[in-house]
Amino acid sequence: MSFVRNINRRRAISVGVLGGLLPFAVLADNSVTLEDSIVTASQTAHSQLSVPASASVITRAELEKMPVYDLADAVKRLPGVHINTSSAYGRKEIKIRGMDSDYTLLLVNGRRINSRDALTSNYANDFDLSSIPMAAVERIEVIRGPMSSLYGADALGGVVNVILRQPTNSTKAGVAASYESPRKGDEGDSLKTSGYLSGALIEDSVLGNLIVESTDQEAWQTDQLTLKGTDAAEKRRGNNILGSLSWLIDEQQSIDLDISHREEARKARWNNYGALITNVQDMDRTTFGLAHNGNWDSFNSRVRYYYEKVELTDDSQIMTALRKRIGEVEQNNHTVDGQISTTLGSHLLTAGSELRRTTLEHNQNLGKETEVDQKAIYLQDEFSLGDLDITLGARWDDHEVFGGAFSPRLYGIYNLTDNWVLKGGVGKAFKAPDITQSDESYSVLACRGMCQIVGNPDLKPETSVSYELGTLYQNERLQAGIMFFNNEIEDMIVSDSWRAGYRPAVMTYTNVSKARIQGYELQGRYAFTDALAARANYTYSDAEDRDTGKPLNYSPQHIANIGFDWQALPKLGLNLDYQYTGSQMLVVPAKSASFESGAYSTLSLGSNFQATKELTLKAGLNNLTNTKRDDVAQSIDHILMGRTVYVGFSYDL
């Protein structure tokens, strides 16, 4: 491995800005370009061959080819990723390698985004996924497997890092819109509009951008629902505004400022044991970030502060009927972190520290404001022994409530040729209980409002030890690889639940489970010509509760994706996508048990037409075959949206 230390000013500053993860001009793997680099796995830039992890990247060009309304839509075709329907009215969650969505760490520019503690019901939360304006996304990096050695708690399953578009010195502007309409069922139309402006306020000194986005989705009904008058997908209204400034102080320093605000309102009618219940939740989210990036002679540095404020209003019928008033929740997340990177001989060293404070106020559950502090330090060393590239990492976290946790990691990549590598590693990860699980004064409504689950202060953090080993080959036309993985989890936190003959009104969380998730991922892409390419991936994951020997719920063993991209004409591109989701166990609350739900598959067709240099048109069909899920899924109103048509355009000035 070689390191490039001297690059021009603009590239250095761009690296410093990129995702808040590259505050240094030291790049690994022979001057990887920013466009094809992966930074999330090591906080240093790598290609897909040299990255010390199982990783995938989705570029902005790829996002613009398909109808993407939120982050779940963007990543659903990646290996190891399963988008789970986690509510009776169409909310989604991202699961990686069979792990629950709570174990997928979501980052924006390398910074946590999290409103889990603010959610007041047990019926899923994809507010975090929809909070990111897709018009602002430059690319998305997905790391499969635990990454606690860099990011601490919550990354037992993997990491999704969204890199936002950065300000440019030249003036750029554009508008876009997309419209999607189901051909089956009633209503459900979705409209998304966005605008983008970027340029220099002071040339070569102060750069800025502004991004706005609006989403308007009608509730969708279908005759597959178990109760007439309910919704299979909820009504949503959302508006985003995001702005950022970059001050290029001199040849070595930059200061970056970003502010965003989102307002989102949701409403759904659902079946509560035969009664039609209305679920209403509104969330306002405000973020502020300030960072200093330095590219010094002998080292590089980053210092930043990030603030996230989440306000949730819960006017759902269950909340107001049982607790006699509208729920008001406020969560504040403060983060200060710093990082230094330098070379010492043939070693690339990265060291950093982090301080996080989370506060939570709830007008119904908590008797007072709850505050939790977490501190951490980490160190990483990247070096080579001949053809073997090694990454050693370790992180120490100190949680105010649950004490310390040590997360070491070792990863190796053996370069068989310039295009073929063997790669694998081992790491330990942990997840501390969140406030909702551990604070005994916090209670969450469950059992569809007929019980509540209170926090347990005696919980222990969950821990895991994971292994992976595989190979990857890549050249100009072919990419192919296989990765075997095994993840052993101890002290899994589970909530008590109703079952036959056991229906208490108050329950809690306990450390009772062990789980093992093992399997393998296959992925490949082949360009037959410059105009025609095929891509495919397949994931097998055996997710087992080691205490009971039963499969984990909502975790299909088999997931496969096949796609074709064809540039039929110089201005016309077509893409065909097939997705297969294997059978899985689903919880049926009415029977207080889990049942197997059968496999299903969908087919989608899309097109892009470059009408002019500035104007791009797109259109297509999702779920072309109008696939439906089986009776088990339909019995809990987990409905797959039928055939839909979409159209859209983008106009760049």
Side-chain angles (χ1 to χ4, degrees), residues 123 226-227 230 269-278 318 322 446-450 637:
Y123 303 114
T226 56
L227 180 64
T230 54
R269 299 164 299 177
W270 60 286
N271 180 7
N272 186 39
Y273 293 114
L276 193 152
I277 296 292
T278 301
I318 285 183
L322 296 180
C447 315
R448 299 196 174 189
M450 299 176 69
D637 289 337

Side-chain angles (χ1 to χ4, degrees), residues 55 79-80 91 102 125 179 209 235 272 366 377 383-384 399 425 430 459 476 481 491 536-537 544 618 624-625 631 649:
R91 293 188 182 179
D102 286 347
N125 177 23
Y179 173 78
N209 67 11
K235 179 179 180 179
N272 186 39
L366 293 171
I377 56 173
F383 61 96
S384 298
H399 192 285
F430 82 103
L459 289 175
E476 292 181 354
D491 292 321
N537 62 68
E544 179 184 286
K618 64 181 180 180
L624 186 63
T625 57
D631 291 341
F649 78 90

Side-chain angles (χ1 to χ4, degrees), residues 98-173:
M99 296 288 289
D100 190 81
S101 63
D102 286 347
Y103 306 106
T104 299
L105 178 62
L106 179 60
L107 306 174
V108 175
N109 285 351
R111 308 176 308 200
R112 289 169 179 265
I113 181 168
N114 175 29
S115 62
R116 291 186 188 278
D117 287 320
L119 190 71
T120 57
S121 77
N122 204 28
Y123 303 114
N125 177 23
D126 64 358
F127 280 97
D128 288 346
L129 303 182
S130 64
S131 70
I132 304 165
M134 299 310 296
V137 176
E138 181 62 30
R139 74 176 192 271
I140 302 168
E141 300 180 4
V142 178
I143 308 300
R144 302 182 295 278
M147 288 298 299
S148 286
S149 63
L150 280 177
Y151 299 107
D154 306 330
L156 269 71
V159 179
V160 177
N161 187 17
V162 179
I163 311 296
L164 301 181
R165 300 167 76 174
Q166 299 302 320
T168 56
N169 202 44
S170 58
T171 301
K172 296 182 179 179

Side-chain angles (χ1 to χ4, degrees), residues 188-429:
D189 294 358
S190 297
L191 175 65
K192 172 168 283 191
T193 57
S194 64
Y196 174 74
L197 176 64
S198 179
L201 283 70
I202 302 176
E203 189 172 358
D204 294 325
S205 179
V206 180
L207 314 179
N209 67 11
L210 179 67
I211 299 165
V212 293
E213 185 177 88
S214 176
T215 303
D216 188 344
Q217 174 183 301
E218 296 297 331
W220 176 62
Q221 300 87 35
T222 171
D223 57 9
Q224 300 174 56
L225 290 160
T226 56
L227 180 64
K228 186 177 181 180
T230 54
D231 299 321
E234 64 188 336
K235 179 179 180 179
R236 299 187 183 192
R237 300 285 187 272
N239 296 291
N240 287 69
I241 183 168
L242 183 149
S244 64
L245 288 174
S246 291
W247 177 23
L248 312 183
I249 301 173
D250 54 31
E251 296 285 336
Q252 296 178 309
Q253 303 177 75
S254 71
I255 291 179
D256 303 314
L257 169 70
D258 62 82
I259 301 174
S260 73
H261 181 72
R262 176 173 177 82
E263 297 178 351
E264 186 171 8
R266 302 190 181 190
K267 182 178 181 180
R269 299 164 299 177
W270 60 286
N271 180 7
N272 186 39
Y273 293 114
L276 193 152
I277 296 292
T278 301
N279 189 74
V280 179
Q281 291 176 326
D282 299 340
M283 181 177 282
D284 290 352
R285 185 191 304 261
T286 302
T287 70
F288 170 84
L290 182 65
H292 177 276
N293 302 302
N295 177 25
W296 314 104
D297 292 337
S298 58
F299 69 96
N300 303 278
S301 64
R302 179 195 70 207
V303 179
R304 63 186 180 184
Y305 166 73
Y306 180 60
Y307 170 68
E308 181 181 32
K309 180 180 180 180
V310 175
E311 296 174 290
L312 178 69
T313 300
D314 193 334
D315 193 13
S316 304
Q317 280 184 260
I318 285 183
M319 175 67 68
T320 55
L322 296 180
R323 293 188 166 163
K324 309 305 180 185
R325 55 178 168 170
I326 296 173
E328 298 287 350
V329 192
E330 181 176 316
Q331 179 177 340
N332 290 273
N333 304 315
H334 300 267
T335 302
V336 178
D337 64 24
Q339 182 176 290
I340 294 177
S341 180
T342 188
T343 56
L344 183 62
S346 61
H347 295 256
L348 172 56
L349 301 175
T350 303
S353 62
E354 180 184 61
L355 172 62
R356 285 191 285 133
R357 170 170 290 177
T358 300
T359 63
L360 186 67
E361 295 182 69
H362 197 308
N363 71 338
Q364 299 195 26
N365 291 327
L366 293 171
K368 57 182 177 59
E369 178 182 271
T370 294
E371 181 179 282
V372 175
D373 288 341
Q374 301 178 61
K375 298 173 285 186
I377 56 173
Y378 60 87
L379 178 64
Q380 180 179 267
D381 182 12
E382 298 178 77
F383 61 96
S384 298
L385 297 174
D387 292 325
L388 179 63
D389 301 331
I390 298 174
T391 300
L392 291 173
R395 175 174 169 130
W396 176 259
D397 283 85
D398 183 19
H399 192 285
E400 178 183 357
V401 178
F402 299 101
F406 181 61
S407 304
R409 183 172 184 259
L410 167 65
Y411 208 93
I413 299 176
Y414 186 76
N415 298 278
L416 297 168
T417 70
D418 291 341
N419 303 101
W420 187 17
V421 300
L422 298 175
K423 58 196 312 184
V426 58
K428 185 178 180 181

Side-chain angles (χ1 to χ4, degrees), residues 84-85 224 584 586 597-598 600 627-631 633-634 638-640:
N84 182 51
T85 302
Q224 300 174 56
Q584 56 190 296
L586 302 182
S597 177
Y600 61 95
T627 298
K628 299 179 181 179
R629 297 189 66 175
D630 68 0
D631 291 341
Q634 291 186 32
H638 282 206
I639 310 297
L640 185 65

